[in-house]
């Protein structure tokens, strides 16, 4: 199923005008969905038998520029049943970003969301175990943000080299 | 308290409160069977594991943050250090993603034919080397020391071949964006043929040594079953998914490079009722790797028999400057599907580069897989999902 067809399905199902499609993107079109709907949409995409997006390939945070006030969270979905793929994007503000978790739909989302929380500071509401995964528990700040400043000292060690 | 911690993070700082008959043991980060620096927090009831919580990040080197400040060609050596056991396949996966993005630019002519053959040759040799290490260390983890020596003896031959090819034994930086870094040294193809003629019968020897060994079977058959649905939900790919019985290999199902020109099979796990083996158990995950080595030998033989086309080994281009846009590209590395998500703004550096590591996904299933098993089974699980921490932590 193409992204355009899936887009029409989602629009009629959720009757929300905030869902939009970007077809001009280089290589692959993608769908932008409001953050409040991402969990419901994921469930729908995974459970409907003709969509059957049973695999979450990748979940990434993207911060395009330090001057932007928003960040993106990108979901790359794939269906092992029908061999079609789909890219979803959620736009979140940089100040207090909150997104519902999709952990109950795909189990791998647990770790991917922890990673995005760790590196970008996005809080996934409803996540069962949201804590840092790659960095130490007492690290301050979220390093993959473009406006991140590394600390001078961490536990008595000089950080910048 | 910390500036940006959440409620659940604060809770984790509290002492774990075990039941009166429970014990909390930290396994790792320095432990020979954890294949790197992985720490497992085990909540034990005697020998039985109630919960095994993986703690990762000990090898985190900020690969993605580094990549934002490097040109595309400069990133290639960094990918070597992700999965250092199969660095050729990591180079290749990254280059595939950049090349896919560059294909939107009409000036990019594509990778030359000869380079594609060289990539397949290097990639499949590296797959054998990687599976040999997985086989050898798995035996050693479980208590069989001899297979380890056999595996390293033969892996050494592949590393010597790579040393001839590109000068490095582990971190090759051989496959570059647009092609490969250098052409074959004199007599290389004869050396490869000599190696695979020597190596192919050895696989049966390994099977006799370990695969069908009674003690090994006792330790792995029917242990920690990850069925197909669970593997897909956890994003486990490669031998872990195929061991669960799903015939899925990107080289066949979404052929990239020139894999559609070769004839090879996809080994999958099988039920063997008399031995007790079920789909998705440790033994099947291991067995798929053994069978894949044979298929890799088959591919290499076809490359050698067909002969390599003449021509350039790298695409002619002035600068690597992919058009603005984004790509998510996957390739079949020995440990599963390696994905790269690249966002480009049209400059020489990526705005965002995310590596989706197959080991990261497979390791996240450990907590569920190990619940209720014995401590010794944890060792068997870690070896059978075949993780490399350099790739998990990036």
């Amino acid at each position: 199923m193409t992204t355009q067809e899936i887009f029409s399905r989602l629009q009629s199902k959720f009757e929300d005008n905030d869902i939009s499609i970007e077809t001009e993107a280089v290589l692959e079109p993608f769908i932008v969905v409001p953050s409040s709907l991402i969990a419901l949409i994921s469930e729908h995409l995974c459970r409907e038998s003709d969509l059957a997006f049973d695999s979450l390939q990748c979940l990434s945070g993207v911060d395009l520029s330090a001057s932007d006030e928003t960040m993106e969270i990108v979901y790359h979905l794939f269906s092992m049943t029908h061999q079609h793929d789909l890219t979803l994007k959620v736009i979140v503000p940089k100040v207090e970003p909150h997104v519902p978790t999709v952990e109950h739909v795909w189990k791998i989302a647990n770790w991917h969301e922890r990673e995005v929380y760790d590196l970008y500071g996005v809080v996934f509401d409803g996540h069962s175990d949201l804590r840092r995964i790659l960095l130490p528990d007492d690290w301050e700040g979220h390093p993959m943000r473009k406006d991140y400043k590394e600390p001078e000292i961490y536990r008595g060690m000089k950080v910048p080299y | 308290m910390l500036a940006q911690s959440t409620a659940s993070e604060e809770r984790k700082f509290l002492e774990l409160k075990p039941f009166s008959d429970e014990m909390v043991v930290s396994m790792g980060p320095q432990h020979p069977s954890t294949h790197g620096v992985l720490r497992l927090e085990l909540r034990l009831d005697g020998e039985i594991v109630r919960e095994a919580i993986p703690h990762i990040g000990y090898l985190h080197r900020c690969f993605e943050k580094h990549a934002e400040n490097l040109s595309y060609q400069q990133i290639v050596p960094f990918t070597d250090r992700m999965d250092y056991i199969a660095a050729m396949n990591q180079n290749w996966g990254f280059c595939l993603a950049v090349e896919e993005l560059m294909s939107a630019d009409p000036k990019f002519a594509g990778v030359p034919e000869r380079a594609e053959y060289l990539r397949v040759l290097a990639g499949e040799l590296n797959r054998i080397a990687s599976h040999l290490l997985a086989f050898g260390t798995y035996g050693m983890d479980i208590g069989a020391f001899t297979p380890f020596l056999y595996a390293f003896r033969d892996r050494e031959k592949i590393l010597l071949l790579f040393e001839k090819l590109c000068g490095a034994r582990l971190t090759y930086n051989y496959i570059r964006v647009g092609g490969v870094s250098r052409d074959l040294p004199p007599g290389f193809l004869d050396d490869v043929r000599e190696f695979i003629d020597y190596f192919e019968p050895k696989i049966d020897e390994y099977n006799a040594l370990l695969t069908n060994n009674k003690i090994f079977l006792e330790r792995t058959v029917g242990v920690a079953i990850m069925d197909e649905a669970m593997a897909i939900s956890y994003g486990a790919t490669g031998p872990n998914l195929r061991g669960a019985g799903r015939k899925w290999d990107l080289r066949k199902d979404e052929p990239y490079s020139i894999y559609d020109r070769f004839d090879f099979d996809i080994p999958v796990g099988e039920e063997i009722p008399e031995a007790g083996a079920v789909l998705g158990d440790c033994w099947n995950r291991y067995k798929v790797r053994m069978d894949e080595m044979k298929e890799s030998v088959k591919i290499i033989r076809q490359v050698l028999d067909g002969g390599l086309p003449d021509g350039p080994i790298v695409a002619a281009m002035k600068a690597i400057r992919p058009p603005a846009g984004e790509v998510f590209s996957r390739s079949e590395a020995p440990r599963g599907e390696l994905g790269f998500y690249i966002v480009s703004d049209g400059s020489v550096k990526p705005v965002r580069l995310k590596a989706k590591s197959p080991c990261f996904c497979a390791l996240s299933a450990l907590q569920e897989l190990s619940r209720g098993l014995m401590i010794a089974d944890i060792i068997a699980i870690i070896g059978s999902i075949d993780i490399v921490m350099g790739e998990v932590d990036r």
Side-chain angles (χ1 to χ4, degrees), chain B residues 33-320:
Chain B
S33 79
T34 53
H35 292 234
V37 272
L38 163 70
R39 183 165 74 91
L40 295 174
E41 186 182 309
L42 303 179
R43 187 188 271 255
L44 301 172
D45 176 5
E47 277 281 295
I48 295 167
V49 178
R50 286 254 169 87
E51 203 77 60
I53 303 163
H55 291 271
I56 64 172
Y58 291 91
L59 272 182
H60 183 53
R61 289 142 298 162
C62 323
F63 163 63
E64 291 166 9
K65 188 76 177 172
H66 273 297
E68 289 177 4
N69 299 304
L70 296 168
S71 73
Y72 288 96
Q73 208 73 285
Q74 285 174 322
I75 297 171
V76 177
F78 279 74
T79 61
D80 279 326
R81 278 129 186 107
M82 282 171 51
D83 181 354
Y84 41 81
I85 308 297
M88 287 285 185
N89 301 78
Q90 310 286 307
N91 291 169
W92 197 358
F94 172 70
C95 293
L96 271 177
V98 181
E99 284 151 10
E100 200 178 325
L101 197 53
M102 287 183 54
S103 66
D105 179 359
K107 274 183 286 189
F108 180 63
V111 181
E113 190 90 330
R114 186 175 174 83
E116 293 282 21
Y117 276 89
L118 291 174
R119 285 177 174 194
V120 169
L121 197 60
E124 292 307 316
L125 277 172
N126 211 167
R127 191 182 306 275
I128 296 176
S130 163
H131 285 345
L132 274 177
L133 185 123
F135 150 76
T137 52
Y138 194 31
M140 194 164 72
D141 289 348
I142 293 214
F145 189 69
T146 320
F148 175 76
L149 299 174
Y150 280 59
F152 269 61
R153 178 194 64 193
D154 294 342
R155 179 169 171 264
E156 181 64 26
K157 293 184 196 298
I158 299 179
L159 298 189
L160 285 174
L161 284 174
F162 282 149
E163 204 174 344
K164 274 187 191 164
L165 185 63
C166 61
R169 288 167 57 83
L170 274 180
T171 49
Y172 310 110
N173 190 15
Y174 177 65
I175 296 174
R176 305 273 176 88
V177 179
V180 295
S181 72
R182 59 194 72 199
D183 212 334
L184 295 175
F188 185 78
L189 293 180
D190 297 331
D191 293 345
V192 174
R193 189 181 291 279
E194 192 187 325
F195 168 73
I196 57 171
D197 285 344
Y198 155 86
F199 178 71
E200 200 167 11
K202 294 284 179 223
I203 301 173
D204 295 327
E205 198 178 300
Y206 302 149
N207 283 333
L209 199 61
L210 188 67
T211 312
N212 302 316
N213 178 300
K214 180 85 170 67
I215 305 169
F216 182 72
L217 287 171
E218 290 280 329
R219 288 291 302 277
T220 56
V221 156
V223 171
I225 297 155
M226 174 152 65
D227 61 16
E228 191 188 322
M230 181 179 169
I232 291 175
S233 185
Y234 272 112
T237 44
N240 296 329
L241 178 62
R242 292 193 280 276
R246 178 64 190 263
K247 207 170 188 145
W248 178 263
D249 189 319
L250 289 178
R251 292 176 295 167
K252 266 272 196 263
D253 292 290
E254 288 182 4
Y256 55 94
S257 185
I258 49 166
Y259 274 114
D260 48 354
R261 298 182 197 172
F262 302 113
D263 174 38
F264 60 101
D265 295 327
I266 314 285
V268 288
E270 51 190 334
E271 303 245 357
I272 307 175
E274 55 272 26
V278 279
L279 286 180
D281 63 359
C282 288
W283 187 80
N284 265 316
R285 286 195 285 273
Y286 155 86
K287 183 66 171 30
V288 165
R289 292 193 184 91
M290 302 305 282
D291 295 343
E292 270 182 27
M293 288 199 277
K294 285 187 183 165
E295 300 306 318
S296 292
V297 168
K298 236 193 240 176
I299 296 173
I300 295 171
R301 215 180 272 287
Q302 287 171 53
V303 173
L304 295 177
D305 290 346
L308 271 65
D310 290 328
I313 53 161
V314 66
M317 50 193 166
K318 281 192 180 130
I320 299 166

Side-chain angles (χ1 to χ4, degrees), chain A residues 26-27 30 54-55 57-64 74 76 78 80 83 87 89 105-108 111-112 115 117 119-120 123 129-135 137-138 140-146 148 161, chain B residues 2 4-6 8-9 12-13 53-57 60 64-66 68 100-101 104 232-234 241 246 248 254 324-328 330 337 341 343 351-352 354 356 360-361 363-364 368 392-394:
Chain A
V26 172
L27 291 181
F30 57 84
D54 45 12
S55 167
Q57 294 286 320
C58 192
L59 194 165
S60 352
V62 178
D63 184 3
L64 291 172
V74 187
H76 286 99
F78 185 74
M80 296 292 281
Q83 274 95 55
T87 307
K89 284 193 183 184
V105 187
W106 303 285
K107 287 174 178 165
I108 182 59
W111 277 28
H112 277 319
E115 188 182 322
Y117 163 71
L119 302 179
Y120 285 91
V123 176
D129 187 19
L130 196 66
R131 61 195 158 91
R132 288 189 184 272
I133 184 164
L134 294 175
L135 302 179
D137 282 343
D138 56 353
E140 284 183 27
H142 303 286
M144 284 297 282
R145 288 195 182 198
K146 295 278 186 195
Y148 174 73
Y161 59 92
Chain B
L2 299 168
Q4 296 179 34
S5 61
T6 65
S8 71
E9 196 174 39
K12 286 288 163 185
F13 285 119
I53 303 163
H55 291 271
I56 64 172
H60 183 53
E64 291 166 9
K65 188 76 177 172
H66 273 297
E68 289 177 4
E100 200 178 325
L101 197 53
I232 291 175
S233 185
Y234 272 112
L241 178 62
R246 178 64 190 263
W248 178 263
E254 288 182 4
E326 52 182 69
V327 68
F328 179 69
R330 304 183 283 164
E337 288 171 17
Y341 174 50
V343 182
V351 177
R352 169 79 166 116
K354 157 110 182 169
K356 176 253 170 184
F360 182 85
C361 301
L363 183 60
S364 74
E368 187 175 328
V392 175
D393 295 338
R394 284 158 285 148

